[in-house]
Amino acid sequence: MSAFLALVRRDLALAFRIGGGGLLSLGFFLLAALLIPLGVGPEGQALARIAAGVVWVCALLACLLSLDRLFQADLEDGSLDQLALGPLPMEAIVLAKAAAHWISTGLPLTLAAPAIGVMLNLDPQAFGPLLLALLIGTPALSLVGAVGAGLTAGVRRGGLLLSVLVLPLYVPTLIFGAQAADRAATGLDPTPALAFLGAVTALAAGVAPFAAAAALRVNLR
Amino acid sequence: MAALPEGPGPANDSPMSIWPKSIWDVANPARFMRLSGALLPWVSAAAALALGGGLVWGFFFTPDDYQQGSTVKIIYIHVPAATLAINVYAFMGIMSLIWLIRRHHVSALAAKAAAPIGAGMTLAAIVTGALWGQPMWGTWWAWDPRLTAFLIMLFFYAGYIALWAAIEDPDAAADLTAVLCLVGSVFAIVSRYAVIFWAQGLHQGASLSMDRETNVADVFWRPLVLSLAGFFLLFLALLLLRTRTEIRLRRARAIRLAAGEGAEPPGEAA
């Protein structure tokens, strides 16, 4: 466990110190979401209708930004070989790095989402479910993203390929996440959407570490 | 590296051994080449017969539907293409599993060979559906669960093909695409139910079924079944042909690597 936490701490330190760009994805998230009204128009009703979807789509895109270096930097400088020789199994390495990725992208996104909600005129009833949905759903984005990052770790300029691989896998999280807020805004019970969202995250937590670890072992061969 | 066995395989002594004793015999590339070479002309001819027969029968010798008019005839392409789009992905998943477990190169190459066929079938189903939807639903495209699920499946195929193309080492590419295919099939099923949760459908439910009475009148159903058989045979013929090509590319690469003593000319990864 201490090795696991040490790896999480190392990745967070790398993300937040100079050159890591830890909060850049948060900046991208805010910027992208606030560009939407410029494209759609300033009418409050139209913005309220799309607010939850905009938050979720921008969250997906912001998550993708930092994924391509999740394993690639460590693969290139040999740190991943060192980690593979260490006490942690590869699955735990994936889980630790996905956790660090979530703390540096998913969590800040979730905390910033209410501000976006206010500016996009989100229905007051939907704030709670949207926040809860982001909290439940964004770990799945980091976990599934880790699979894509593992698959493309050996590909130079793999960022674009990573997006093509990972975005279709984000579909269930996007749908259930946005539906939770949407249902609350229209007066429906958001619980079913939140429950399904939790199920998708649980599935991702069960599948992703093994798939990403298998991909990393191939890349280390 | 992809060192495929060259020349005849171990069980090659008798001239009658084209037919495998077990399905795993086909994993030997030499045996696969002999069997597929013998089968290919027959499968191709059967595909041409069934497909030509089904389509001509369906297009010219069935009546127009009393509501849909002649647009009903799109089903002879649309339904088989959509059926194959799903089944080809399932086939790729099985081949990926076999590759990961038993390391048979032929199964990895069969999965690789099947992907563009599946993507083509998915695209054919979407395009024919749009052509039919315009006069019948009044729109080329609707965000209906089935249509959306097919669009997502097209993205899955695209990602799978792109990953094969991006990785130079053939064994690493086979491993990584197999992992992607398996993860993708899990999430494809989840996506299928997510889109049902997300939108009301415009598309009709399943009309053909193995265990229930079918909802299609006999006069349309008989040519449709023939056309379905034709599409499956067409897939089999294309699959055999493309897998044979992939095996030959691998062999050419192995020969080139052996001749160059391991030095690979840049930009010529198999």
Side-chain angles (χ1 to χ4, degrees):
Chain A
M1 200 61 204
S2 67
F4 185 88
L5 291 178
L7 182 54
V8 175
R9 269 200 300 276
R10 164 190 178 269
D11 265 36
L12 286 177
L14 284 175
F16 285 114
R17 285 182 189 163
I18 294 174
L23 291 176
L24 268 183
S25 54
L26 177 64
F28 172 86
F29 171 69
L30 295 171
L31 200 61
L34 296 178
L35 281 176
I36 300 288
L38 302 182
V40 174
E43 296 86 11
Q45 271 194 321
L47 290 177
R49 177 68 198 84
I50 61 169
V54 166
V55 167
W56 266 101
V57 170
C58 292
L60 300 193
L61 298 177
C63 236
L64 278 181
L65 278 187
S66 45
L67 274 177
D68 63 327
R69 299 298 286 172
L70 188 62
F71 299 117
Q72 199 169 43
D74 288 345
L75 184 68
E76 280 167 2
D77 68 8
S79 320
L80 200 61
D81 293 277
Q82 291 295 322
L83 288 171
L85 293 173
L88 283 179
M90 195 59 92
E91 286 78 5
I93 295 172
V94 170
L95 214 51
K97 290 184 79 75
H101 180 263
W102 179 72
I103 294 171
S104 63
T105 56
L107 192 58
L109 289 187
T110 306
L111 299 177
I116 301 291
V118 170
M119 299 186 78
L120 294 182
N121 197 23
L122 183 69
D123 189 285
Q125 289 179 306
F127 276 88
L130 178 65
L131 212 63
L132 202 54
L134 283 167
L135 208 57
I136 296 172
T138 44
L141 301 185
S142 294
L143 285 162
V144 173
V147 179
L151 291 173
T152 56
V155 180
R156 261 160 294 163
R157 288 189 295 280
L160 207 58
L161 179 63
L162 175 73
S163 320
V164 174
L165 299 187
V166 165
L167 280 177
L169 300 175
Y170 280 171
V171 166
T173 301
L174 169 65
I175 288 179
F176 292 128
Q179 281 289 308
D182 249 14
R183 290 168 76 93
T186 49
L188 293 169
D189 181 14
T191 320
L194 289 172
F196 280 125
L197 189 63
V200 173
T201 302
L203 177 76
V207 170
F210 296 99
L216 287 177
R217 285 196 196 97
V218 173
N219 275 312
L220 284 176
R221 214 158 49 198
Chain B
M1 274 295 125
L4 295 183
E6 306 268 336
N12 188 31
D13 301 317
S14 96
M16 298 299 287
S17 64
I18 279 185
W19 300 106
K21 286 192 187 67
S22 117
I23 183 84
W24 302 114
D25 285 356
V26 186
N28 177 327
R31 294 200 62 146
F32 175 84
M33 288 304 271
R34 259 182 294 131
L35 178 66
S36 61
L39 283 179
L40 189 54
W42 296 98
V43 175
S44 307
L49 271 177
L51 199 57
L55 290 184
V56 169
W57 184 0
F59 284 162
F60 300 109
F61 299 99
T62 58
D64 287 355
D65 184 73
Y66 81 106
Q67 278 181 325
Q68 302 180 35
S70 58
T71 61
V72 70
K73 298 184 182 207
I74 204 85
I75 62 166
Y76 304 114
I77 297 177
H78 181 72
V79 174
T83 310
L84 269 176
I86 297 165
N87 284 289
V88 171
Y89 200 90
F91 170 82
M92 281 160 53
I94 295 167
M95 288 298 122
S96 300
L97 210 55
I98 292 174
W99 159 250
L100 287 179
I101 294 169
R102 302 191 56 143
R103 315 301 291 177
H104 296 319
H105 285 91
V106 171
S107 62
L109 292 177
K112 182 186 185 187
I117 309 173
M121 292 293 176
T122 313
L123 196 61
I126 292 174
V127 169
T128 52
L131 291 175
W132 177 88
Q134 211 288 325
M136 285 300 113
W137 290 348
T139 175
W140 298 100
W141 178 262
W143 289 97
D144 163 280
R146 279 197 189 217
L147 276 64
T148 312
F150 264 73
L151 188 64
I152 296 167
M153 194 148 71
L154 190 62
F155 296 154
F156 276 122
Y157 276 120
Y160 180 86
I161 295 169
L163 190 60
W164 262 111
I167 296 162
E168 282 179 44
D169 179 68
D171 275 10
D175 280 330
L176 295 176
T177 51
V179 169
L180 176 69
C181 185
L182 294 177
V183 174
S185 51
V186 171
F187 277 82
I189 293 168
V190 178
S191 299
R192 165 98 180 92
Y193 289 99
V195 292
I196 292 174
F197 182 85
W198 163 74
Q200 290 296 315
L202 200 55
H203 197 290
Q204 60 182 307
S207 299
L208 295 180
S209 169
M210 295 291 207
D211 55 356
R212 278 176 296 133
E213 204 174 336
T214 117
N215 290 326
V216 182
D218 277 358
V219 63
F220 299 125
W221 182 73
R222 290 196 193 101
L224 178 57
V225 169
L226 189 59
S227 178
L228 258 172
F231 267 79
F232 269 96
L233 287 165
L234 174 68
F235 166 65
L236 190 59
L238 289 174
L239 177 73
L240 291 177
L241 185 68
R242 292 182 54 85
T243 309
R244 287 170 65 79
T245 310
E246 293 290 343
I247 289 174
R248 285 181 170 144
L249 280 172
R250 277 289 175 89
R251 219 164 257 179
R253 179 190 150 94
I255 292 167
R256 211 171 54 225
L257 285 177
E261 287 174 8
E264 190 178 350
E268 281 188 47

